[in-house]
């Protein structure tokens, strides 16, 4: 199930999404003949269809591991989502891949306030200073994230934003924590975030959901 897509700085297209158990990120060449090339062609023993640059998956069979958004720099791809650490615990997830080859450079998860809570990053964008701003949900009830994002909305949890600096993104070592992180109760999640130009005061604006 594709969830989000962008055009990368090199002109190719990046698509992230989820299956029943895994998340995936696929890079499709700018010269692809059409959407049917992605829908109809299957991976073969000799590799991807010529319309694919590369494809990668993450997660464990039987778990609920999904990729929900993607951002890219001139040489790297950053995917975000949710990764299950156990059958009853899922954390916010971010990973860095090579834009050219798809090779995994690092991945990291960020825990909630307890192992009985779930979290996910839902949105991501590269900032004007070369960092990455991500938003999502933290401290949701265990198991309550299934079906959210393109299928619906979380019904519990707290909206959150986190910022990773340009130095953290350029490193070949996964960050142990974001440069800064904030939560926004009683909002449930951050669905989208945009940067405010410095000429208009700077900072970020985001769209969130709440229970009626």
């Amino acid at each position: 199930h594709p969830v989000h897509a962008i055009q990368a700085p090199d002109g190719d297209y990046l698509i992230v999404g989820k299956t029943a158990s895994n998340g995936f990120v696929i890079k499709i060449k700018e010269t692809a003949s059409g959407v049917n090339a992605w829908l109809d062609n299957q991976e073969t023993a000799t590799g991807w269809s010529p319309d694919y640059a590369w494809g990668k998956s993450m997660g464990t069979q039987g778990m609920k591991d999904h990729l929900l958004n993607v951002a890219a720099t001139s040489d790297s791809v950053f995917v975000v989502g949710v990764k299950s650490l156990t059958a009853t615990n899922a954390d916010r997830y971010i990973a860095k891949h090579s834009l050219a080859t798809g090779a995994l450079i690092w991945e990291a998860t960020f825990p909630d306030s307890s192992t009985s809570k779930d979290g996910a990053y839902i949105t991501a964008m590269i900032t004007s200073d070369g960092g990455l701003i991500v938003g999502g949900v933290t401290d949701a009830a265990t198991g309550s994230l299934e079906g959210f994002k393109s299928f619906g909305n979380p019904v519990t949890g707290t909206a959150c934003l986190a910022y990773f600096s340009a130095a953290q993104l350029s490193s070949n070592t996964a960050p142990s924590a974001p440069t800064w992180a904030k939560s926004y109760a009683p909002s449930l999640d951050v669905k989208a975030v945009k940067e405010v130009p410095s000429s208009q005061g700077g900072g970020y604006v985001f769209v969130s959901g709440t229970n009626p």
Side-chain angles (χ1 to χ4, degrees):
H1 178 83
V3 174
H4 190 76
I6 63 169
Q7 188 170 20
D10 65 0
D12 289 351
Y13 296 91
L14 296 162
I15 300 174
V16 294
K18 56 187 181 178
T19 66
S21 297
N22 301 103
F24 65 83
V25 54
I26 295 171
K27 189 169 188 265
I28 297 177
K29 295 178 181 178
E30 184 182 15
T31 55
S33 58
V35 68
N36 287 336
W38 184 74
L39 293 173
D40 295 338
N41 290 323
Q42 301 295 316
E43 188 177 9
T44 67
T46 56
W48 292 96
S49 152
D51 285 322
Y52 292 99
W54 49 260
K56 300 293 178 180
S57 64
M58 54 77 73
T60 304
Q61 191 67 28
M63 298 291 194
K64 301 224 178 339
D65 302 313
H66 308 310
L67 294 181
L68 303 175
N69 218 302
V70 57
T73 63
S74 60
D75 60 3
S76 301
V77 176
F78 298 91
V79 295
V80 301
V82 55
K83 182 174 178 61
S84 297
L85 303 185
T86 69
T88 58
N89 177 226
D91 282 348
R92 291 159 289 168
Y93 175 83
I94 181 172
K96 176 182 179 179
H97 294 262
S98 163
L99 179 63
T101 68
L104 178 65
I105 298 171
W106 52 251
E107 60 182 347
T109 57
F110 300 93
D112 300 282
S113 61
S114 78
T115 55
S116 63
K117 302 289 186 180
D118 286 352
Y121 285 139
I122 302 171
T123 186
M125 67 165 288
I126 301 296
T127 60
S128 60
D129 62 358
L132 182 76
I133 187 81
V134 298
V137 56
T138 186
D139 288 341
T142 298
S144 67
L145 297 186
E146 176 59 18
F148 88 121
K149 181 61 177 179
S150 55
F151 291 98
N153 299 295
V155 295
T156 67
T158 301
C160 63
L161 281 179
Y163 172 80
F164 297 88
S165 69
Q168 288 177 302
L169 298 192
S170 64
S171 174
N172 289 330
T173 302
S176 58
T179 300
W180 58 257
K182 296 185 179 296
S183 58
Y184 301 92
S187 296
L188 292 175
D189 62 346
V190 172
K191 300 179 183 301
V193 60
K194 294 294 183 182
E195 187 174 9
V196 178
S198 58
S199 60
Q200 299 177 25
Y204 304 94
V205 295
F206 62 87
V207 177
S208 64
T210 59
N211 279 324

